Amino acid sequence: MQTGDNDPFELEAMTALRRDLHAHPELGFEEVRTSGIVADLLAEAGIEVHRGLGKTGVVGTLKVGDGTRSIGLRADMDALAMPELADRPYASGTPNTMHACGHDGHTVMLLAAARHLARTRNFSGTVHFIFQPAEEGRGGARAMVEDGLFRQFPMDAAYGLHNMPGLATDEMAVVAGPQLASSDSWEVSFTGVGTHGAKPHLGRDAVTAAGQFLMAIHTIVARRVDPLQPAVVSACAIAGGDFNALNVIPDTVRIGGTARAYTPEVRDQLEAEIGQLARGVAATFGISVDYHFKRRIPPVVNHPDATRRALAAAQAVTGNPVMTDFPPSTAGDDFAFFGAEVPGAYVWLGNGPAVDGALHHNSRYDFNDDAILTGARYWTTLVEQELR
Ligand SMILES: [Zn+2]
Ligand SMILES: [Zn+2]
């Protein structure tokens, strides 16, 4: 790649690369092509590269001067298992795989920043460029942490960024405190005694118990959680019986769902309350119950000090007032695992208006290439301000 004074971030090449990644999306832990390109472009710029952390993760390390502070910047690389329905020249060429969350853009913005910093070297300290696999529910961040990310690459703070439709591409939002909710899943299986549908008194009815339970779980947020604390409990799957046997009351009904919160306390409470209700309903109906609560990802909570530093960089870059009151989202992001180890800040970068109403995870969504420059400048400015 070539760069010059008039194109310090290699924008033309980076835009082409963004579209190339969009055309070749890869699912979590399968980002072989993507991480190969990332590693090669980091190495070509003279950045020390560590491949294969968390299976397909890549860490690039750039140490300049004698500064002792060290920070990590994170981009996610994975796509989603869904078809792309938009007609664009660089539409996904892989069936049922699509960059519908803009991680193709995240990868390219951090890559552009890394290569720029390797050329300009206008800081003193160590920066780790963390290219994470499998953000979309497959546990990439946890895999990198378990593989020794913080042991091999000690850092004082970690930063994340996500594109956000509805904000302009030169607009950013940086907010202290909770950004994204914890995202956990739960499963309840009621097991009674199956019987003839005409003779319910001869069995123990798990279907009716499941109905009671489904209504009752909505009292958890309404009646048990502090009204000033956001929380969500949703049942999202139910299975039991057979539509070819509508005279049979089945033994077992399975229900599964999600639970979301912004604090560890409310998260613990949701786990306890769903279980208590399930056991209570089972006891009422004289049936047994099996309950599992699976902790997937903790909430993303921005640390005050890291947020202050992120805000200063965002203000310097955009020239626009940075939004500091952007509302938190009940979605999740496993950047939370990095923010749990060191002070972290996760910020929003505008993706322009939602084209055709397409938002994240929509089959027509696309990262906006106009945001590449703002994102790359945010990363380089953050490094130059933090590591003086
Ligand atoms: Zn996503
Ligand atoms: Zn995403």
Side-chain angles (χ1 to χ4, degrees):
M1 287 192 184
Q2 294 294 314
T3 179
D5 291 347
N6 56 349
D7 186 12
F9 287 94
E10 308 173 296
L11 272 187
E12 204 177 309
M14 286 296 160
T15 301
L17 175 60
R18 207 288 296 176
R19 295 175 176 207
D20 174 77
L21 294 181
H22 192 91
H24 299 91
E26 294 172 302
L27 299 178
F29 293 128
E30 297 169 20
E31 306 93 334
V32 175
R33 179 181 185 273
T34 306
S35 65
I37 292 171
V38 165
D40 289 349
L41 287 175
L42 291 172
E44 185 193 272
I47 294 168
E48 194 186 316
V49 176
H50 188 111
R51 301 172 194 237
L53 199 84
K55 202 166 178 191
T56 41
V58 173
V59 180
T61 297
L62 182 61
K63 185 170 168 34
V64 173
D66 53 9
T68 55
R69 191 168 166 84
S70 173
I71 62 173
L73 314 181
R74 173 275 210 162
D76 38 17
M77 300 186 289
D78 59 324
L80 286 148
M82 57 185 283
E84 177 156 13
L85 299 182
D87 185 21
R88 50 179 67 104
Y90 52 90
S92 170
T94 312
N96 207 43
T97 309
M98 182 196 173
H99 269 298
C101 205
H103 298 184
D104 44 351
H106 299 170
T107 301
V108 162
M109 290 189 288
L110 187 57
L111 205 46
R115 289 170 63 88
H116 179 82
L117 287 164
R119 286 188 299 270
T120 53
R121 303 173 75 82
N122 188 24
F123 65 96
S124 179
T126 304
V127 53
H128 301 297
F129 306 101
I130 304 165
F131 291 88
Q132 182 207 307
E135 187 281 322
E136 299 285 5
R138 294 191 177 190
R142 176 183 259 167
M144 289 190 92
V145 173
E146 287 174 355
D147 242 5
L149 177 70
F150 289 93
R151 285 193 303 277
Q152 288 185 62
F153 308 97
M155 57 192 94
D156 300 302
Y159 295 91
L161 173 156
H162 207 289
N163 70 90
M164 178 53 75
L167 302 182
T169 55
D170 58 353
E171 211 173 0
M172 293 184 72
V174 182
V175 188
Q179 301 305 298
L180 294 158
S182 59
S183 176
D184 299 323
S185 48
W186 54 266
E187 214 182 293
V188 169
S189 288
F190 289 112
T191 301
V193 178
T195 185
H196 198 297
K199 301 170 185 173
H201 61 292
L202 298 180
R204 294 280 183 184
D205 184 3
V207 175
T208 304
Q212 292 254 344
F213 172 76
L214 282 173
M215 298 306 294
I217 53 170
H218 299 296
T219 63
I220 296 174
V221 172
R223 304 284 82 187
R224 301 292 295 167
V225 176
D226 179 344
L228 297 178
Q229 295 285 346
V232 182
V233 175
S234 292
C236 303
I238 180 165
D242 190 323
F243 282 86
N244 294 312
L246 295 180
N247 54 358
V248 175
I249 295 173
D251 287 310
T252 299
V253 178
R254 236 174 113 197
I255 301 169
T258 188
R260 305 201 170 210
Y262 290 105
T263 67
E265 293 76 22
V266 175
R267 194 182 187 200
D268 290 345
Q269 186 183 8
L270 296 182
E271 174 172 5
E273 301 273 2
I274 297 167
Q276 187 180 323
L277 266 178
R279 285 185 292 271
V281 168
T284 301
F285 284 82
I287 63 176
S288 64
V289 64
D290 196 28
Y291 172 56
H292 294 283
F293 188 93
K294 185 160 189 268
R295 293 193 170 228
R296 293 174 59 246
I297 55 177
V300 173
V301 181
N302 280 351
H303 186 278
D305 178 59
T307 307
R308 187 178 51 73
R309 295 166 188 265
L311 180 60
Q315 275 163 340
V317 166
T318 61
N320 288 327
V322 174
M323 294 177 71
T324 53
D325 57 354
F326 197 69
S329 162
T330 51
D333 190 309
D334 67 358
F335 175 80
F337 284 101
F338 303 146
E341 299 282 333
V342 292
Y346 181 99
V347 304
W348 304 105
L349 165 63
N351 199 57
V355 179
D356 298 331
L359 300 169
H360 294 139
H361 296 201
N362 180 285
S363 52
R364 296 178 193 281
Y365 193 67
D366 194 19
F367 179 82
N368 187 335
D369 290 322
D370 291 344
I372 295 176
L373 183 60
T374 313
R377 288 184 64 221
Y378 166 72
W379 286 132
T380 55
T381 305
L382 181 65
V383 169
E384 287 166 1
Q385 289 187 350
E386 264 242 40
L387 307 176
R388 284 185 192 278

